[in-house]
């Protein structure tokens, strides 16, 4: 069980969006590398990074900021946003990224995900972003007709390291994780699932460590950490206790 702190990059700065809207961005730190180091110092073990500009552009836009993050932290980093080619994946993985997250390309070209898993086993995650129960693409700007589980099942058995499931209708507004749909997805596939979108308080952390949710790999937290609604020390202590109890 892992709590992934999130750094969302817009124009080189660490921001959080509200409901996936680029016009509703709050800047939390102009220095993403310093933020990455701060999360490591607080005791977090992983880092979740999204190139927001890249997600809309279909290519890396905040590459310099990501490179700075990789230099600033020893923690493994997973990156999503605008990664659409094998060359792009190889470039990032060779620079020290632990995982690349494929979102739009997983919908548009599932065969590319399969090939990526073959070439880079253990380093490929799939991002499934849902709006109104359907998968969204192109930086959440477009809705597809694909169902969440329908897409996830396409990648069973091909070596996807994790599925990062985001409920866009909850993202950045602190209404709590959509546990029902997240656990339904986790029940439907054998791929580890990471919950994202809406994590609001320690109540969500406590829910995350309940026995029925322990099949999740973890959850991502953004705004609640930045706003101080979740105390990192307390959250990580709860997760540590749950890990020890499960052993």
């Amino acid at each position: 069980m892992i709590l992934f702190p999130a750094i969302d990059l817009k124009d080189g700065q660490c921001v959080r969006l509200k409901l996936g809207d680029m016009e509703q961005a709050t800047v939390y730190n102009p220095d993403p590398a310093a933020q990455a180091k701060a999360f490591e110092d607080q005791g977090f073990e992983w880092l979740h990074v999204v190139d927001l500009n890249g997600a809309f552009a279909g290519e890396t836009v905040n590459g310099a900021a990501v490179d700075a993050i990789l230099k600033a932290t020893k923690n493994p980093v997973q990156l999503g946003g605008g990664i659409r080619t094998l060359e792009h994946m190889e470039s990032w993985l060779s620079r020290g990224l632990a995982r690349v997250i494929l979102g739009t390309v997983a919908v548009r070209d599932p065969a590319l995900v399969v090939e990526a898993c073959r070439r880079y086993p253990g380093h490929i995650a799939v991002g499934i972003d849902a709006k109104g129960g359907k998968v969204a693409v192109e930086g959440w700007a477009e809705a597809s007709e694909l169902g969440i589980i329908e897409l996830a099942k396409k990648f069973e058995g091909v070596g996807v390291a994790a599925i990062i499931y985001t409920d866009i209708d909850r993202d950045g507004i602190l209404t709590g994780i959509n546990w029902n749909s997240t656990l339904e997805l986790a029940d439907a596939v054998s791929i580890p699932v990471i919950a994202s979108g809406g994590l609001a308080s320690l109540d969500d952390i406590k829910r995350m460590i309940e026995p029925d949710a322990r099949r999740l790999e973890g959850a991502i937290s953004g705004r609640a950490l930045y706003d101080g609604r979740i105390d990192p020390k307390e959250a990580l202590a709860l997760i540590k206790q749950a890990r020890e109890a499960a052993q």
Side-chain angles (χ1 to χ4, degrees), residues 3-242:
L3 184 59
F4 296 78
I7 292 180
D8 287 358
L9 298 169
K10 180 176 184 278
D11 304 332
Q13 297 181 308
C14 178
V15 308
R16 293 302 292 169
L17 301 185
K18 188 175 180 180
L19 299 171
D21 185 351
M22 287 286 272
E23 299 305 314
Q24 297 190 70
T26 302
V27 176
Y28 280 101
N29 195 329
D31 186 343
Q35 186 62 59
K37 185 66 169 66
F39 282 140
E40 180 187 315
D41 291 343
Q42 287 168 346
F44 291 100
E45 300 169 326
W46 266 84
L47 182 62
H48 175 80
V49 180
V50 178
D51 181 348
L52 294 171
N53 302 103
F56 285 92
E59 60 184 11
T60 296
V61 175
N62 288 289
V66 178
D67 282 331
I69 287 169
L70 290 171
K71 288 185 178 72
T73 181
K74 296 182 180 68
N75 283 345
V77 178
Q78 59 185 25
L79 171 69
I83 301 172
R84 310 269 170 96
T85 68
L86 290 167
E87 292 75 20
H88 207 170
M89 297 173 215
E90 183 173 359
S91 173
W92 276 121
L93 293 171
S94 70
R95 282 141 79 180
L97 204 67
R99 282 181 188 162
V100 293
I101 304 165
L102 307 180
T104 294
V105 76
V107 177
R108 304 275 199 237
D109 189 1
L112 183 65
V113 178
V114 175
E115 176 61 18
C117 289
R118 188 188 69 78
R119 289 196 192 190
Y120 314 114
H123 296 291
I124 305 299
V126 168
I128 298 182
D129 304 327
K131 194 169 180 63
K134 296 293 185 181
V135 177
V137 294
E138 304 295 346
W140 301 353
E142 295 178 24
S144 74
E145 291 305 309
L146 266 180
I148 300 154
I149 292 172
E150 180 187 0
L151 176 60
K153 281 185 174 294
K154 291 185 178 186
F155 305 114
E156 278 279 44
V158 305
V160 169
I163 289 173
I164 294 140
Y165 171 59
T166 303
D167 185 336
I168 300 169
D169 295 319
R170 295 181 181 231
D171 190 69
I173 58 172
L174 301 167
T175 55
I177 294 281
N178 186 338
W179 292 107
N180 289 339
S181 62
T182 302
L183 293 176
E184 183 183 3
L185 173 60
D187 281 340
V189 295
S190 59
I191 306 164
V193 172
I194 299 169
S196 174
L199 196 147
S201 68
L202 277 175
D203 286 339
D204 276 317
I205 303 297
K206 291 171 183 174
R207 179 68 187 87
M208 183 174 81
I209 60 177
E210 288 291 319
D212 68 330
R214 289 185 190 176
R215 60 186 177 278
L216 300 176
E217 180 169 304
I220 292 166
S221 180
R223 188 178 291 271
L225 284 173
Y226 292 107
D227 285 350
R229 293 167 188 263
I230 291 179
D231 176 73
K233 187 175 180 181
E234 194 172 351
L236 293 171
L238 284 171
I239 292 168
K240 184 181 178 184
Q241 287 170 10

